[in-house]
DNA sequence: CTCCGATGTAAGAGGGCTATCACTTGCTAA
DNA sequence: TTAGCAAGTGATAGCCCTCTTACATCGGAG
């Protein structure tokens, strides 16, 4: 059967992915290590290697889940944003900020170096679906061709990623800003891109 | 006298800072280590500790130089951008992208965690001067008060930082984009913020 | 010219991480 | 009931890192 069953210590495979998200949200990709995840789950440092052949395969699994969830969050935020295409695309930027704040798994995790060769649970399929969602939202604003659509998607992502990256790096700490503050600003800035 | 004199192996203090910039540009902050810098300069791994008490003090010195040079680059780009205040502020975003591409030392380096307590060669003075330059450029666009000015500065930085961060993380590699491509897009996106 | 202090080196302590290996535990199927 | 396998453990090799300590070297001041 699949690995999704309870054994000695429960469903360790899923727990590893969950705990990785926690670590990413708290300390970022830099501090992530297989050993730290094992420590958090109070299993031996060898245990994760029963479920993932190496560190990159664990990250790839996390990447797949992150892409799938981010896709959902973006689609949901766009749906809730009303009929205006520019508003809907800008809402995606806000969803990106909030998602990365909660999970720590933004595009640097989803597209982390060295993961492209690994295919885990349809990871590449999920990343493609995410891009397709964003391309659809951008195209709805009336971009003349696919190239322009892609440029608009990239600009929207850059705005959102810039805000949450600076936030995570502590650049905004002086003003006591919350993640919702940052998301609101990202939405506002992204909104100007189509005006 | 100051440490800026030639000794056994030349001006090691300055060489350490230069080599750190090279490492940052090539591999990013994640891969930086005192040992790697020493290796690059072909000195023993203990040699850097004759000039900096610890790793953070070396990074703080780099941070100060980075802030000073980034300030110059931003001011110069704004000056070359013509009379329109919006164009001048957008040019600052382009300068940020190009500077980080060349030196690897963006705001995450300048504002790196744990450096705030260290005062090296007027590091805090240089970072304040950089912010002052940006605030002046933003205020010239006609923002109604200082709070709005700060928000505009942060949005501009977020756009620029988002582009170069995604570029550095390999998100744009499929399209063979150059740093100048990315800078041009950052300028264009930043330009929309004041329209 | 000689001595001293600034600069550099070799060696290593101490720590974290990745990954492997032999071994153990306990669920499940026959 | 018991054999077999999935899952977990402890120990450890090997690597890289930070930072310290004792010693070596060199240039300049007296």
């Amino acid at each position: 059967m699949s690995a999704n069953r309870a054994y000695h210590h429960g469903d360790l495979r899923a727990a590893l992915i969950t705990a990785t998200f926690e670590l990413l949200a708290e300390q970022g990709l830099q501090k992530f290590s297989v050993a730290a995840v094992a420590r958090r789950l109070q299993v031996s440092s060898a245990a994760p290697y029963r479920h993932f052949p190496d560190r990159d395969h664990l990250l790839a699994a996390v990447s797949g889940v992150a892409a799938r969830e981010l896709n959902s969050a973006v689609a949901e935020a766009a749906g809730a944003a009303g009929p205006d295409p520019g508003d809907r695309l800008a809402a995606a930027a806000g969803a990106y900020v909030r998602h990365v704040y909660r999970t720590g798994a933004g595009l640097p995790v989803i597209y982390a170096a060295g993961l492209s060769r690994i295919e885990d649970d349809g990871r590449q399929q999920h990343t493609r679906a995410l891009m397709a969602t964003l391309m659809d939202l951008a195209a709805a604003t009336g971009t003349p061709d696919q190239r322009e659509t892609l440029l608009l998607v990239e600009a929207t992502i850059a705005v959102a990623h810039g805000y949450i990256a600076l936030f995570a790096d502590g650049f905004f700490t002086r003003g006591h800003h919350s993640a919702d503050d940052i998301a609101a600003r990202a939405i506002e800035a992204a909104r100007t891109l189509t005006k």
Side-chain angles (χ1 to χ4, degrees), chain A:
Chain A
M1 309 300 149
S2 82
N4 282 3
R5 291 170 62 183
Y7 286 97
H8 296 178
H9 285 78
D11 189 348
L12 183 55
R13 187 180 199 278
L16 287 166
I17 292 173
T18 300
T20 297
F21 276 113
E22 291 173 15
L23 260 183
L24 289 175
E26 291 167 19
Q27 309 199 318
L29 187 53
Q30 303 212 6
K31 296 269 191 152
F32 164 81
S33 73
V34 177
V37 176
R39 216 177 295 129
R40 167 170 297 240
L41 293 174
Q42 300 189 344
V43 295
S44 74
S45 64
Y49 293 95
R50 289 289 174 201
H51 298 274
F52 300 98
D54 58 31
R55 174 198 152 103
D56 278 352
H57 279 80
L58 170 53
L59 281 179
V62 169
S63 163
V65 174
R68 175 163 49 78
E69 294 187 349
L70 181 54
N71 189 14
S72 297
V74 165
E76 184 179 354
D84 182 275
D87 286 342
R88 289 164 61 84
L89 182 61
Y96 180 82
V97 168
R98 283 190 295 269
H99 184 265
V100 175
Y101 177 75
R102 275 197 307 109
T103 68
L107 292 181
V109 169
I110 294 175
Y111 288 93
L115 262 54
S116 51
R117 54 192 168 79
I118 302 175
E119 177 59 37
D120 263 85
D121 284 334
R123 174 184 151 272
Q124 299 184 5
Q125 171 194 334
H126 290 308
T127 63
R128 274 194 292 266
L130 170 61
M131 275 306 288
T133 299
L134 292 169
M135 288 295 281
D136 285 350
L137 287 172
T141 65
T143 45
D145 58 26
Q146 191 161 12
R147 173 173 168 73
E148 286 298 315
T149 308
L150 179 57
L151 289 176
L152 179 55
V153 165
E154 290 176 350
T156 304
I157 293 176
V159 167
H161 185 65
Y163 266 110
I164 189 64
L166 290 178
F167 184 63
D169 283 336
F171 183 66
F172 291 137
T173 47
R174 292 192 190 179
H176 310 278
H177 304 297
S178 73
D180 282 337
D181 284 339
I182 304 299
R185 295 200 217 169
I187 291 171
E188 191 178 350
R191 189 64 191 84
T192 71
L193 293 173
T194 55
K195 275 186 172 161

